[in-house]
Amino acid sequence: PAVAAARSSQSARHRNPDDDMADEGKTDSGASLTYPIRAGEVKKGGHVCIKGKPCKVIEITTSKTGKHGHAKANITALDIFTGNKLVDICPTSHNMEAPFVTRTEYMLTDVGEEGYLSLMDDEGNMKEDLKMPEGQLGEDIMKAFKAAEEDGSEVTCAVVSAMGQEAVLAYNTRTA
């Protein structure tokens, strides 16, 4: 007990009093953009952060332990917003970050002149801060929207959000 008391008084002497105030004044909603996951628990089709980007795992292989080392997970994943391929190698016992990813369906009601989409959720709330995706997906959504105006069907867009980013990644046409 005397040794433990000496250690605790020693650590108290070396503490920085400013550490107690370090979190003061920071504004945080308490909601986190990521959660920890062990590299050995990552599965194909799951999500992880690689180089700070939210990614969907397309392949994972594990190597056996070396003479003195850890088993390693070799994770290949695609950035969910750009489609870029990223690779990370991490010991299976270590933690990685995994993003909270949500997918929400919205009905496409209009396309503004500057390419912003007018989207409506199931409760009738409007979302008008997303631009039409670039490339083939954007062209396909525009064709489907114009066709829907003609035949009375509706176009729904899948909006994926992760780590403070949002984007339309898919669409679907439903006949009325």
Side-chain angles (χ1 to χ4, degrees), residues 42 46-61 73-90 96-97 99 163 165:
V42 173
H47 294 96
V48 294
C49 294
I50 298 179
K51 297 180 180 139
K53 307 244 185 264
C55 300
K56 185 169 188 170
V57 177
I58 55 171
E59 183 183 3
I60 183 162
T61 57
N74 186 342
I75 300 166
T76 305
L78 298 176
D79 184 314
I80 60 176
F81 295 115
T82 65
N84 292 340
K85 190 179 201 178
L86 298 164
V87 177
D88 194 8
I89 299 171
C90 183
M96 299 182 75
E97 293 292 313
M163 297 180 69
Q165 289 181 287

PDB file of all heavy atoms in Angstrom, residues 42 46-61 73-90 96-97 99 163 165:
ATOM      1  N   VAL A  42     -13.418  -7.018 -39.119  1.00  0.00           N
ATOM      2  CA  VAL A  42     -13.891  -6.377 -40.346  1.00  0.00           C
ATOM      3  C   VAL A  42     -14.297  -7.460 -41.341  1.00  0.00           C
ATOM      4  O   VAL A  42     -13.580  -8.445 -41.527  1.00  0.00           O
ATOM      5  CB  VAL A  42     -12.796  -5.462 -40.946  1.00  0.00           C
ATOM      6  CG1 VAL A  42     -13.205  -4.921 -42.298  1.00  0.00           C
ATOM      7  CG2 VAL A  42     -12.484  -4.329 -39.992  1.00  0.00           C
ATOM      8  N   GLY A  46     -18.573  -4.753 -45.242  1.00  0.00           N
ATOM      9  CA  GLY A  46     -18.667  -3.827 -44.118  1.00  0.00           C
ATOM     10  C   GLY A  46     -18.003  -2.498 -44.458  1.00  0.00           C
ATOM     11  O   GLY A  46     -17.471  -2.302 -45.557  1.00  0.00           O
ATOM     12  N   HIS A  47     -18.022  -1.572 -43.509  1.00  0.00           N
ATOM     13  CA  HIS A  47     -17.435  -0.256 -43.727  1.00  0.00           C
ATOM     14  C   HIS A  47     -16.287  -0.017 -42.756  1.00  0.00           C
ATOM     15  O   HIS A  47     -16.367  -0.398 -41.598  1.00  0.00           O
ATOM     16  CB  HIS A  47     -18.495   0.842 -43.540  1.00  0.00           C
ATOM     17  CG  HIS A  47     -19.573   0.794 -44.564  1.00  0.00           C
ATOM     18  ND1 HIS A  47     -20.769   0.156 -44.356  1.00  0.00           N
ATOM     19  CD2 HIS A  47     -19.632   1.293 -45.824  1.00  0.00           C
ATOM     20  CE1 HIS A  47     -21.519   0.266 -45.439  1.00  0.00           C
ATOM     21  NE2 HIS A  47     -20.853   0.947 -46.340  1.00  0.00           N
ATOM     22  N   VAL A  48     -15.220   0.626 -43.252  1.00  0.00           N
ATOM     23  CA  VAL A  48     -14.089   1.049 -42.436  1.00  0.00           C
ATOM     24  C   VAL A  48     -13.589   2.394 -42.961  1.00  0.00           C
ATOM     25  O   VAL A  48     -13.909   2.790 -44.081  1.00  0.00           O
ATOM     26  CB  VAL A  48     -12.901   0.049 -42.449  1.00  0.00           C
ATOM     27  CG1 VAL A  48     -13.252  -1.252 -41.799  1.00  0.00           C
ATOM     28  CG2 VAL A  48     -12.374  -0.164 -43.845  1.00  0.00           C
ATOM     29  N   CYS A  49     -12.797   3.077 -42.145  1.00  0.00           N
ATOM     30  CA  CYS A  49     -12.139   4.305 -42.592  1.00  0.00           C
ATOM     31  C   CYS A  49     -10.704   3.961 -42.963  1.00  0.00           C
ATOM     32  O   CYS A  49      -9.987   3.362 -42.168  1.00  0.00           O
ATOM     33  CB  CYS A  49     -12.133   5.353 -41.488  1.00  0.00           C
ATOM     34  SG  CYS A  49     -13.752   5.956 -41.062  1.00  0.00           S
ATOM     35  N   ILE A  50     -10.323   4.308 -44.175  1.00  0.00           N
ATOM     36  CA  ILE A  50      -8.948   4.142 -44.616  1.00  0.00           C
ATOM     37  C   ILE A  50      -8.467   5.510 -45.058  1.00  0.00           C
ATOM     38  O   ILE A  50      -9.112   6.154 -45.889  1.00  0.00           O
ATOM     39  CB  ILE A  50      -8.823   3.114 -45.766  1.00  0.00           C
ATOM     40  CG1 ILE A  50      -9.295   1.736 -45.293  1.00  0.00           C
ATOM     41  CG2 ILE A  50      -7.382   3.047 -46.272  1.00  0.00           C
ATOM     42  CD1 ILE A  50      -9.244   0.651 -46.350  1.00  0.00           C
ATOM     43  N   LYS A  51      -7.367   5.967 -44.470  1.00  0.00           N
ATOM     44  CA  LYS A  51      -6.809   7.294 -44.739  1.00  0.00           C
ATOM     45  C   LYS A  51      -7.862   8.386 -44.535  1.00  0.00           C
ATOM     46  O   LYS A  51      -7.953   9.342 -45.304  1.00  0.00           O
ATOM     47  CB  LYS A  51      -6.225   7.355 -46.152  1.00  0.00           C
ATOM     48  CG  LYS A  51      -5.068   6.399 -46.341  1.00  0.00           C
ATOM     49  CD  LYS A  51      -4.488   6.459 -47.729  1.00  0.00           C
ATOM     50  CE  LYS A  51      -3.341   5.477 -47.808  1.00  0.00           C
ATOM     51  NZ  LYS A  51      -3.289   4.743 -49.044  1.00  0.00           N
ATOM     52  N   GLY A  52      -8.718   8.200 -43.517  1.00  0.00           N
ATOM     53  CA  GLY A  52      -9.715   9.210 -43.181  1.00  0.00           C
ATOM     54  C   GLY A  52     -10.931   9.247 -44.083  1.00  0.00           C
ATOM     55  O   GLY A  52     -11.756  10.139 -43.982  1.00  0.00           O
ATOM     56  N   LYS A  53     -11.057   8.262 -44.974  1.00  0.00           N
ATOM     57  CA  LYS A  53     -12.182   8.226 -45.918  1.00  0.00           C
ATOM     58  C   LYS A  53     -13.101   7.051 -45.592  1.00  0.00           C
ATOM     59  O   LYS A  53     -12.626   5.959 -45.304  1.00  0.00           O
ATOM     60  CB  LYS A  53     -11.666   8.073 -47.344  1.00  0.00           C
ATOM     61  CG  LYS A  53     -10.624   9.087 -47.737  1.00  0.00           C
ATOM     62  CD  LYS A  53     -11.146   9.954 -48.838  1.00  0.00           C
ATOM     63  CE  LYS A  53     -10.090  10.909 -49.348  1.00  0.00           C
ATOM     64  NZ  LYS A  53     -10.157  12.201 -48.747  1.00  0.00           N
ATOM     65  N   PRO A  54     -14.425   7.252 -45.660  1.00  0.00           N
ATOM     66  CA  PRO A  54     -15.341   6.138 -45.439  1.00  0.00           C
ATOM     67  C   PRO A  54     -15.312   5.191 -46.641  1.00  0.00           C
ATOM     68  O   PRO A  54     -15.460   5.628 -47.779  1.00  0.00           O
ATOM     69  CB  PRO A  54     -16.709   6.813 -45.289  1.00  0.00           C
ATOM     70  CG  PRO A  54     -16.579   8.110 -46.016  1.00  0.00           C
ATOM     71  CD  PRO A  54     -15.136   8.514 -45.919  1.00  0.00           C
ATOM     72  N   CYS A  55     -15.092   3.911 -46.380  1.00  0.00           N
ATOM     73  CA  CYS A  55     -14.928   2.939 -47.463  1.00  0.00           C
ATOM     74  C   CYS A  55     -15.760   1.689 -47.207  1.00  0.00           C
ATOM     75  O   CYS A  55     -16.040   1.341 -46.065  1.00  0.00           O
ATOM     76  CB  CYS A  55     -13.464   2.505 -47.565  1.00  0.00           C
ATOM     77  SG  CYS A  55     -12.327   3.838 -47.911  1.00  0.00           S
ATOM     78  N   LYS A  56     -16.124   1.003 -48.311  1.00  0.00           N
ATOM     79  CA  LYS A  56     -16.805  -0.285 -48.234  1.00  0.00           C
ATOM     80  C   LYS A  56     -15.790  -1.365 -48.587  1.00  0.00           C
ATOM     81  O   LYS A  56     -15.131  -1.298 -49.629  1.00  0.00           O
ATOM     82  CB  LYS A  56     -17.983  -0.321 -49.202  1.00  0.00           C
ATOM     83  CG  LYS A  56     -18.792  -1.584 -49.091  1.00  0.00           C
ATOM     84  CD  LYS A  56     -20.086  -1.491 -49.855  1.00  0.00           C
ATOM     85  CE  LYS A  56     -20.940  -2.697 -49.560  1.00  0.00           C
ATOM     86  NZ  LYS A  56     -22.279  -2.542 -50.073  1.00  0.00           N
ATOM     87  N   VAL A  57     -15.671  -2.364 -47.721  1.00  0.00           N
ATOM     88  CA  VAL A  57     -14.674  -3.422 -47.890  1.00  0.00           C
ATOM     89  C   VAL A  57     -15.085  -4.336 -49.046  1.00  0.00           C
ATOM     90  O   VAL A  57     -16.212  -4.832 -49.088  1.00  0.00           O
ATOM     91  CB  VAL A  57     -14.522  -4.242 -46.588  1.00  0.00           C
ATOM     92  CG1 VAL A  57     -13.537  -5.385 -46.772  1.00  0.00           C
ATOM     93  CG2 VAL A  57     -14.089  -3.338 -45.444  1.00  0.00           C
ATOM     94  N   ILE A  58     -14.148  -4.536 -49.989  1.00  0.00           N
ATOM     95  CA  ILE A  58     -14.429  -5.452 -51.103  1.00  0.00           C
ATOM     96  C   ILE A  58     -13.631  -6.742 -50.984  1.00  0.00           C
ATOM     97  O   ILE A  58     -13.995  -7.754 -51.569  1.00  0.00           O
ATOM     98  CB  ILE A  58     -14.172  -4.802 -52.484  1.00  0.00           C
ATOM     99  CG1 ILE A  58     -12.753  -4.258 -52.595  1.00  0.00           C
ATOM    100  CG2 ILE A  58     -15.199  -3.727 -52.757  1.00  0.00           C
ATOM    101  CD1 ILE A  58     -12.375  -3.802 -53.999  1.00  0.00           C
ATOM    102  N   GLU A  59     -12.527  -6.699 -50.198  1.00  0.00           N
ATOM    103  CA  GLU A  59     -11.730  -7.911 -50.011  1.00  0.00           C
ATOM    104  C   GLU A  59     -10.948  -7.783 -48.713  1.00  0.00           C
ATOM    105  O   GLU A  59     -10.464  -6.703 -48.378  1.00  0.00           O
ATOM    106  CB  GLU A  59     -10.762  -8.089 -51.187  1.00  0.00           C
ATOM    107  CG  GLU A  59      -9.955  -9.355 -51.114  1.00  0.00           C
ATOM    108  CD  GLU A  59      -8.953  -9.483 -52.260  1.00  0.00           C
ATOM    109  OE1 GLU A  59      -8.836  -8.572 -53.086  1.00  0.00           O
ATOM    110  OE2 GLU A  59      -8.279 -10.523 -52.288  1.00  0.00           O
ATOM    111  N   ILE A  60     -10.851  -8.882 -47.985  1.00  0.00           N
ATOM    112  CA  ILE A  60     -10.025  -8.890 -46.774  1.00  0.00           C
ATOM    113  C   ILE A  60      -9.329 -10.239 -46.676  1.00  0.00           C
ATOM    114  O   ILE A  60      -9.943 -11.287 -46.859  1.00  0.00           O
ATOM    115  CB  ILE A  60     -10.848  -8.582 -45.499  1.00  0.00           C
ATOM    116  CG1 ILE A  60      -9.933  -8.522 -44.282  1.00  0.00           C
ATOM    117  CG2 ILE A  60     -11.988  -9.537 -45.309  1.00  0.00           C
ATOM    118  CD1 ILE A  60     -10.529  -7.829 -43.095  1.00  0.00           C
ATOM    119  N   THR A  61      -8.024 -10.188 -46.453  1.00  0.00           N
ATOM    120  CA  THR A  61      -7.254 -11.413 -46.252  1.00  0.00           C
ATOM    121  C   THR A  61      -6.452 -11.235 -44.970  1.00  0.00           C
ATOM    122  O   THR A  61      -6.082 -10.118 -44.614  1.00  0.00           O
ATOM    123  CB  THR A  61      -6.289 -11.685 -47.424  1.00  0.00           C
ATOM    124  OG1 THR A  61      -5.430 -10.559 -47.589  1.00  0.00           O
ATOM    125  CG2 THR A  61      -7.042 -11.948 -48.714  1.00  0.00           C
ATOM    126  N   ALA A  73      -4.282  -8.052 -41.063  1.00  0.00           N
ATOM    127  CA  ALA A  73      -5.417  -8.023 -41.978  1.00  0.00           C
ATOM    128  C   ALA A  73      -5.056  -7.103 -43.132  1.00  0.00           C
ATOM    129  O   ALA A  73      -4.656  -5.959 -42.921  1.00  0.00           O
ATOM    130  CB  ALA A  73      -6.659  -7.513 -41.260  1.00  0.00           C
ATOM    131  N   ASN A  74      -5.174  -7.610 -44.356  1.00  0.00           N
ATOM    132  CA  ASN A  74      -4.944  -6.816 -45.553  1.00  0.00           C
ATOM    133  C   ASN A  74      -6.324  -6.448 -46.095  1.00  0.00           C
ATOM    134  O   ASN A  74      -7.036  -7.313 -46.613  1.00  0.00           O
ATOM    135  CB  ASN A  74      -4.128  -7.618 -46.563  1.00  0.00           C
ATOM    136  CG  ASN A  74      -3.741  -6.807 -47.770  1.00  0.00           C
ATOM    137  OD1 ASN A  74      -4.320  -5.764 -48.048  1.00  0.00           O
ATOM    138  ND2 ASN A  74      -2.760  -7.299 -48.509  1.00  0.00           N
ATOM    139  N   ILE A  75      -6.714  -5.185 -45.976  1.00  0.00           N
ATOM    140  CA  ILE A  75      -8.070  -4.753 -46.311  1.00  0.00           C
ATOM    141  C   ILE A  75      -8.045  -3.920 -47.582  1.00  0.00           C
ATOM    142  O   ILE A  75      -7.338  -2.917 -47.664  1.00  0.00           O
ATOM    143  CB  ILE A  75      -8.662  -3.920 -45.154  1.00  0.00           C
ATOM    144  CG1 ILE A  75      -8.698  -4.774 -43.881  1.00  0.00           C
ATOM    145  CG2 ILE A  75     -10.042  -3.397 -45.501  1.00  0.00           C
ATOM    146  CD1 ILE A  75      -8.939  -3.996 -42.619  1.00  0.00           C
ATOM    147  N   THR A  76      -8.832  -4.341 -48.581  1.00  0.00           N
ATOM    148  CA  THR A  76      -9.002  -3.593 -49.815  1.00  0.00           C
ATOM    149  C   THR A  76     -10.433  -3.075 -49.820  1.00  0.00           C
ATOM    150  O   THR A  76     -11.374  -3.843 -49.599  1.00  0.00           O
ATOM    151  CB  THR A  76      -8.768  -4.493 -51.048  1.00  0.00           C
ATOM    152  OG1 THR A  76      -7.482  -5.104 -50.928  1.00  0.00           O
ATOM    153  CG2 THR A  76      -8.838  -3.689 -52.328  1.00  0.00           C
ATOM    154  N   ALA A  77     -10.590  -1.767 -50.046  1.00  0.00           N
ATOM    155  CA  ALA A  77     -11.921  -1.168 -49.965  1.00  0.00           C
ATOM    156  C   ALA A  77     -12.072  -0.059 -50.997  1.00  0.00           C
ATOM    157  O   ALA A  77     -11.077   0.459 -51.517  1.00  0.00           O
ATOM    158  CB  ALA A  77     -12.148  -0.615 -48.560  1.00  0.00           C
ATOM    159  N   LEU A  78     -13.330   0.302 -51.273  1.00  0.00           N
ATOM    160  CA  LEU A  78     -13.642   1.401 -52.189  1.00  0.00           C
ATOM    161  C   LEU A  78     -14.226   2.559 -51.401  1.00  0.00           C
ATOM    162  O   LEU A  78     -15.133   2.354 -50.584  1.00  0.00           O
ATOM    163  CB  LEU A  78     -14.652   0.952 -53.247  1.00  0.00           C
ATOM    164  CG  LEU A  78     -14.226  -0.164 -54.187  1.00  0.00           C
ATOM    165  CD1 LEU A  78     -15.382  -0.547 -55.101  1.00  0.00           C
ATOM    166  CD2 LEU A  78     -13.022   0.257 -55.010  1.00  0.00           C
ATOM    167  N   ASP A  79     -13.717   3.766 -51.665  1.00  0.00           N
ATOM    168  CA  ASP A  79     -14.291   4.976 -51.066  1.00  0.00           C
ATOM    169  C   ASP A  79     -15.760   5.041 -51.492  1.00  0.00           C
ATOM    170  O   ASP A  79     -16.068   4.945 -52.684  1.00  0.00           O
ATOM    171  CB  ASP A  79     -13.528   6.207 -51.573  1.00  0.00           C
ATOM    172  CG  ASP A  79     -13.977   7.499 -50.933  1.00  0.00           C
ATOM    173  OD1 ASP A  79     -15.201   7.733 -50.839  1.00  0.00           O
ATOM    174  OD2 ASP A  79     -13.108   8.304 -50.546  1.00  0.00           O
ATOM    175  N   ILE A  80     -16.682   5.194 -50.531  1.00  0.00           N
ATOM    176  CA  ILE A  80     -18.106   5.116 -50.883  1.00  0.00           C
ATOM    177  C   ILE A  80     -18.584   6.327 -51.682  1.00  0.00           C
ATOM    178  O   ILE A  80     -19.620   6.248 -52.332  1.00  0.00           O
ATOM    179  CB  ILE A  80     -19.014   4.892 -49.654  1.00  0.00           C
ATOM    180  CG1 ILE A  80     -18.874   6.015 -48.640  1.00  0.00           C
ATOM    181  CG2 ILE A  80     -18.750   3.553 -49.020  1.00  0.00           C
ATOM    182  CD1 ILE A  80     -19.816   5.876 -47.455  1.00  0.00           C
ATOM    183  N   PHE A  81     -17.832   7.426 -51.672  1.00  0.00           N
ATOM    184  CA  PHE A  81     -18.257   8.602 -52.420  1.00  0.00           C
ATOM    185  C   PHE A  81     -17.550   8.757 -53.760  1.00  0.00           C
ATOM    186  O   PHE A  81     -18.157   9.194 -54.726  1.00  0.00           O
ATOM    187  CB  PHE A  81     -18.068   9.873 -51.583  1.00  0.00           C
ATOM    188  CG  PHE A  81     -18.960   9.901 -50.368  1.00  0.00           C
ATOM    189  CD1 PHE A  81     -18.419   9.875 -49.100  1.00  0.00           C
ATOM    190  CD2 PHE A  81     -20.343   9.933 -50.494  1.00  0.00           C
ATOM    191  CE1 PHE A  81     -19.239   9.887 -47.981  1.00  0.00           C
ATOM    192  CE2 PHE A  81     -21.161   9.943 -49.383  1.00  0.00           C
ATOM    193  CZ  PHE A  81     -20.614   9.925 -48.125  1.00  0.00           C
ATOM    194  N   THR A  82     -16.272   8.385 -53.845  1.00  0.00           N
ATOM    195  CA  THR A  82     -15.528   8.583 -55.091  1.00  0.00           C
ATOM    196  C   THR A  82     -15.299   7.292 -55.868  1.00  0.00           C
ATOM    197  O   THR A  82     -14.991   7.337 -57.052  1.00  0.00           O
ATOM    198  CB  THR A  82     -14.142   9.210 -54.807  1.00  0.00           C
ATOM    199  OG1 THR A  82     -13.365   8.286 -54.047  1.00  0.00           O
ATOM    200  CG2 THR A  82     -14.283  10.531 -54.081  1.00  0.00           C
ATOM    201  N   GLY A  83     -15.396   6.139 -55.190  1.00  0.00           N
ATOM    202  CA  GLY A  83     -15.131   4.863 -55.853  1.00  0.00           C
ATOM    203  C   GLY A  83     -13.650   4.532 -55.927  1.00  0.00           C
ATOM    204  O   GLY A  83     -13.276   3.507 -56.495  1.00  0.00           O
ATOM    205  N   ASN A  84     -12.780   5.374 -55.361  1.00  0.00           N
ATOM    206  CA  ASN A  84     -11.344   5.103 -55.383  1.00  0.00           C
ATOM    207  C   ASN A  84     -11.014   3.882 -54.527  1.00  0.00           C
ATOM    208  O   ASN A  84     -11.579   3.696 -53.462  1.00  0.00           O
ATOM    209  CB  ASN A  84     -10.551   6.308 -54.864  1.00  0.00           C
ATOM    210  CG  ASN A  84     -10.639   7.495 -55.793  1.00  0.00           C
ATOM    211  OD1 ASN A  84     -10.954   7.359 -56.964  1.00  0.00           O
ATOM    212  ND2 ASN A  84     -10.369   8.673 -55.255  1.00  0.00           N
ATOM    213  N   LYS A  85     -10.063   3.084 -55.023  1.00  0.00           N
ATOM    214  CA  LYS A  85      -9.646   1.876 -54.308  1.00  0.00           C
ATOM    215  C   LYS A  85      -8.558   2.239 -53.306  1.00  0.00           C
ATOM    216  O   LYS A  85      -7.590   2.918 -53.646  1.00  0.00           O
ATOM    217  CB  LYS A  85      -9.113   0.871 -55.330  1.00  0.00           C
ATOM    218  CG  LYS A  85      -8.855  -0.502 -54.802  1.00  0.00           C
ATOM    219  CD  LYS A  85      -8.356  -1.372 -55.944  1.00  0.00           C
ATOM    220  CE  LYS A  85      -8.556  -2.819 -55.662  1.00  0.00           C
ATOM    221  NZ  LYS A  85      -8.110  -3.643 -56.789  1.00  0.00           N
ATOM    222  N   LEU A  86      -8.735   1.798 -52.060  1.00  0.00           N
ATOM    223  CA  LEU A  86      -7.756   2.049 -51.004  1.00  0.00           C
ATOM    224  C   LEU A  86      -7.394   0.732 -50.328  1.00  0.00           C
ATOM    225  O   LEU A  86      -8.229  -0.166 -50.229  1.00  0.00           O
ATOM    226  CB  LEU A  86      -8.329   3.021 -49.965  1.00  0.00           C
ATOM    227  CG  LEU A  86      -8.684   4.418 -50.484  1.00  0.00           C
ATOM    228  CD1 LEU A  86      -9.581   5.135 -49.507  1.00  0.00           C
ATOM    229  CD2 LEU A  86      -7.419   5.216 -50.710  1.00  0.00           C
ATOM    230  N   VAL A  87      -6.148   0.627 -49.865  1.00  0.00           N
ATOM    231  CA  VAL A  87      -5.666  -0.586 -49.213  1.00  0.00           C
ATOM    232  C   VAL A  87      -5.054  -0.207 -47.871  1.00  0.00           C
ATOM    233  O   VAL A  87      -4.374   0.816 -47.751  1.00  0.00           O
ATOM    234  CB  VAL A  87      -4.610  -1.309 -50.097  1.00  0.00           C
ATOM    235  CG1 VAL A  87      -4.055  -2.527 -49.396  1.00  0.00           C
ATOM    236  CG2 VAL A  87      -5.209  -1.691 -51.431  1.00  0.00           C
ATOM    237  N   ASP A  88      -5.309  -1.035 -46.852  1.00  0.00           N
ATOM    238  CA  ASP A  88      -4.703  -0.825 -45.538  1.00  0.00           C
ATOM    239  C   ASP A  88      -4.287  -2.180 -44.984  1.00  0.00           C
ATOM    240  O   ASP A  88      -4.972  -3.184 -45.192  1.00  0.00           O
ATOM    241  CB  ASP A  88      -5.702  -0.155 -44.590  1.00  0.00           C
ATOM    242  CG  ASP A  88      -5.041   0.402 -43.343  1.00  0.00           C
ATOM    243  OD1 ASP A  88      -3.798   0.415 -43.275  1.00  0.00           O
ATOM    244  OD2 ASP A  88      -5.770   0.836 -42.433  1.00  0.00           O
ATOM    245  N   ILE A  89      -3.165  -2.199 -44.300  1.00  0.00           N
ATOM    246  CA  ILE A  89      -2.686  -3.406 -43.619  1.00  0.00           C
ATOM    247  C   ILE A  89      -2.586  -3.063 -42.141  1.00  0.00           C
ATOM    248  O   ILE A  89      -1.941  -2.081 -41.778  1.00  0.00           O
ATOM    249  CB  ILE A  89      -1.326  -3.867 -44.173  1.00  0.00           C
ATOM    250  CG1 ILE A  89      -1.453  -4.204 -45.657  1.00  0.00           C
ATOM    251  CG2 ILE A  89      -0.805  -5.063 -43.394  1.00  0.00           C
ATOM    252  CD1 ILE A  89      -0.145  -4.473 -46.356  1.00  0.00           C
ATOM    253  N   CYS A  90      -3.253  -3.860 -41.310  1.00  0.00           N
ATOM    254  CA  CYS A  90      -3.336  -3.546 -39.889  1.00  0.00           C
ATOM    255  C   CYS A  90      -3.307  -4.850 -39.086  1.00  0.00           C
ATOM    256  O   CYS A  90      -3.915  -5.837 -39.495  1.00  0.00           O
ATOM    257  CB  CYS A  90      -4.647  -2.798 -39.642  1.00  0.00           C
ATOM    258  SG  CYS A  90      -4.901  -2.250 -37.971  1.00  0.00           S
ATOM    259  N   MET A  96      -9.544  -0.183 -35.576  1.00  0.00           N
ATOM    260  CA  MET A  96      -9.647   0.726 -36.713  1.00  0.00           C
ATOM    261  C   MET A  96     -10.900   1.559 -36.475  1.00  0.00           C
ATOM    262  O   MET A  96     -11.708   1.246 -35.609  1.00  0.00           O
ATOM    263  CB  MET A  96      -9.811  -0.054 -38.025  1.00  0.00           C
ATOM    264  CG  MET A  96      -8.681  -0.968 -38.378  1.00  0.00           C
ATOM    265  SD  MET A  96      -8.991  -1.778 -39.966  1.00  0.00           S
ATOM    266  CE  MET A  96      -8.677  -0.439 -41.097  1.00  0.00           C
ATOM    267  N   GLU A  97     -11.083   2.579 -37.270  1.00  0.00           N
ATOM    268  CA  GLU A  97     -12.306   3.366 -37.209  1.00  0.00           C
ATOM    269  C   GLU A  97     -13.248   2.873 -38.299  1.00  0.00           C
ATOM    270  O   GLU A  97     -12.825   2.566 -39.414  1.00  0.00           O
ATOM    271  CB  GLU A  97     -12.007   4.854 -37.438  1.00  0.00           C
ATOM    272  CG  GLU A  97     -11.192   5.490 -36.337  1.00  0.00           C
ATOM    273  CD  GLU A  97     -11.960   5.592 -35.028  1.00  0.00           C
ATOM    274  OE1 GLU A  97     -13.123   6.028 -35.065  1.00  0.00           O
ATOM    275  OE2 GLU A  97     -11.407   5.240 -33.991  1.00  0.00           O
ATOM    276  N   PRO A  99     -17.010   4.077 -40.132  1.00  0.00           N
ATOM    277  CA  PRO A  99     -17.948   5.198 -40.175  1.00  0.00           C
ATOM    278  C   PRO A  99     -19.382   4.743 -39.939  1.00  0.00           C
ATOM    279  O   PRO A  99     -19.752   3.620 -40.275  1.00  0.00           O
ATOM    280  CB  PRO A  99     -17.786   5.719 -41.608  1.00  0.00           C
ATOM    281  CG  PRO A  99     -17.446   4.490 -42.392  1.00  0.00           C
ATOM    282  CD  PRO A  99     -16.603   3.635 -41.460  1.00  0.00           C
ATOM    283  N   MET A 163     -19.674  10.453 -42.235  1.00  0.00           N
ATOM    284  CA  MET A 163     -18.605  11.366 -41.846  1.00  0.00           C
ATOM    285  C   MET A 163     -18.826  12.793 -42.347  1.00  0.00           C
ATOM    286  O   MET A 163     -17.917  13.447 -42.831  1.00  0.00           O
ATOM    287  CB  MET A 163     -17.258  10.821 -42.316  1.00  0.00           C
ATOM    288  CG  MET A 163     -16.910   9.493 -41.667  1.00  0.00           C
ATOM    289  SD  MET A 163     -15.339   8.817 -42.198  1.00  0.00           S
ATOM    290  CE  MET A 163     -14.198   9.973 -41.465  1.00  0.00           C
ATOM    291  N   GLN A 165     -20.444  13.854 -44.922  1.00  0.00           N
ATOM    292  CA  GLN A 165     -20.626  13.990 -46.364  1.00  0.00           C
ATOM    293  C   GLN A 165     -21.925  13.315 -46.767  1.00  0.00           C
ATOM    294  O   GLN A 165     -22.342  12.331 -46.143  1.00  0.00           O
ATOM    295  CB  GLN A 165     -19.488  13.303 -47.131  1.00  0.00           C
ATOM    296  CG  GLN A 165     -18.160  13.995 -47.046  1.00  0.00           C
ATOM    297  CD  GLN A 165     -17.135  13.227 -47.874  1.00  0.00           C
ATOM    298  OE1 GLN A 165     -16.693  12.163 -47.484  1.00  0.00           O
ATOM    299  NE2 GLN A 165     -16.780  13.767 -49.025  1.00  0.00           N
TER     300      GLN A 165
END
